[in-house]
Amino acid sequence: MRDELILALELYLQHRASPPGKDSPEVAELSSLLNDMGCALGLDEPDTYRNPNGVYMKMMNFRRFDPEYTKEGKVGLTRGNKDEKKVWNEFASDSERLAIVCSAIKLAIQRYSADAELSGADDPAIAEAEEGRILTRLHRVRERSRKLVEQAKTAALKKHGRLFCEACGFDFREKYGPIGEGLIDVHHTKPVHTLTEGDTTKLEDLALLCSNCHRVVHSSRRWLSVEQVSDLVRRVFRDIRASPLHPSGKL
Ligand SMILES: [Zn+2]
Ligand SMILES: [Zn+2]
């Protein structure tokens, strides 16, 4: 799991020159944290990675990517998986982001360890964010909050008199008639790792999106911004107009 790799990377980088051993308090602490995270996510399958030995291995698996280690001709462990390399590439040279993401993950584990809200199945339409599974679930829990969704819709209706997608302009009521009344997704625009910083979600952090655009936002690990999806929509139309099938230049 990516969250686990991110936390293991943090521990590795903190002790790069001499990593803590299998029986060290640091490794034991991370092992217990990962078990708490497993509980928060509702994962109870036995996973040897979460025992101190597994945690130690995971941490040491990063060594083979570490130039400070390999420059002396050492190779490090060669077992491991391809996610380790991705996590190394995304976070190892950005210690500030790594620290922020790790503390957000730890906060989420703390806050949700005794809560059923985050457990349950992952949404297949949502790519797990670079920041990992627990923060991805937290994002979904927040943007599905009935109270927030109602507040966001009420504010938009008050302002525009109707609900439409902020990226492509789609209006369910206009397209489907009365049955489309009130249909729109709410998306939380703040980066996933900032979600645990405060308890309250501000209305301005929410965007109204049609189901298609919302799906596109979450379609890859690096979630797109509403502006990026809006740009994509515009570019698609431009491309269609520019295609030889439309010599008139009009749709
Ligand atoms: Zn849309
Ligand atoms: Zn969303």
Side-chain angles (χ1 to χ4, degrees):
M1 224 167 76
R2 178 168 271 246
D3 316 62
E4 298 174 324
L5 290 177
I6 295 170
L7 294 172
L9 175 63
E10 186 189 41
L11 186 60
Y12 174 74
L13 291 176
Q14 277 165 355
H15 305 276
R16 212 164 180 171
S18 66
K22 287 176 192 173
D23 303 319
S24 65
E26 290 89 349
V27 166
E29 195 189 322
L30 181 54
S31 164
S32 103
L33 186 71
L34 297 186
N35 280 308
D36 289 348
M37 179 159 66
C39 291
L41 288 169
L43 312 169
D44 48 15
E45 80 267 28
D47 188 341
T48 48
Y49 166 44
R50 297 190 190 104
N51 68 31
N53 196 37
V55 168
Y56 174 79
M57 293 293 286
K58 222 28 138 187
M59 179 184 70
M60 297 307 278
N61 275 337
F62 282 112
R63 268 202 144 167
R64 68 187 193 279
F65 308 118
D66 186 355
E68 281 183 23
Y69 182 73
T70 55
K71 73 177 177 204
E72 292 153 32
K74 297 173 185 161
V75 286
L77 299 172
T78 48
R79 283 181 47 209
N81 60 49
K82 59 181 188 322
D83 264 358
E84 283 157 8
K85 184 157 200 200
K86 287 188 197 151
V87 168
W88 176 275
N89 289 341
E90 277 158 28
F91 292 99
S93 56
D94 191 347
S95 56
E96 200 182 333
R97 179 163 178 245
L98 179 64
I100 292 170
V101 170
C102 284
S103 65
I105 292 173
K106 287 174 195 166
L107 246 157
I109 296 170
Q110 242 178 42
R111 196 167 294 179
Y112 288 91
S113 56
D115 200 315
E117 233 180 349
L118 285 194
S119 64
D122 289 314
D123 189 334
I126 305 292
E128 184 181 307
E130 281 173 339
E131 290 87 347
R133 195 186 289 191
I134 197 162
L135 295 178
T136 301
R137 291 225 186 142
L138 192 55
H139 172 91
R140 296 294 284 161
V141 166
R142 291 240 169 150
E143 65 185 15
R144 278 174 171 163
S145 142
R146 198 175 285 270
K147 199 173 132 215
L148 273 177
V149 168
E150 287 315 316
Q151 280 176 359
K153 286 181 183 178
T154 306
L157 280 170
K158 210 169 150 189
K159 195 169 169 195
H160 307 288
R162 65 188 185 98
L163 299 175
F164 59 91
C165 173
E166 289 176 30
C168 76
F170 189 87
D171 179 333
F172 282 85
R173 174 75 170 76
E174 196 179 274
K175 181 80 177 176
Y176 298 104
I179 201 158
E181 187 88 58
L183 290 183
I184 198 85
D185 276 15
V186 172
H187 168 65
H188 200 298
T189 59
K190 290 277 277 301
V192 200
H193 55 261
T194 65
L195 289 181
T196 48
E197 280 168 9
D199 270 322
T200 53
T201 301
K202 291 188 215 73
L203 224 45
E204 62 257 35
D205 300 335
L206 300 172
L208 298 187
L209 294 176
C210 73
S211 332
N212 282 346
C213 290
H214 197 189
R215 187 154 186 172
V216 172
V217 163
H218 290 294
S219 61
S220 66
R221 271 197 191 286
R222 195 157 288 198
W223 292 351
L224 301 181
S225 68
V226 174
E227 292 70 33
Q228 282 173 316
V229 176
S230 170
D231 283 352
L232 282 175
V233 172
R234 280 201 297 270
R235 199 171 308 138
V236 168
F237 282 115
R238 227 180 289 136
D239 289 346
I240 292 168
R241 278 198 203 103
S243 90
L245 289 170
H246 294 272
S248 67
K250 287 187 181 129
L251 277 170

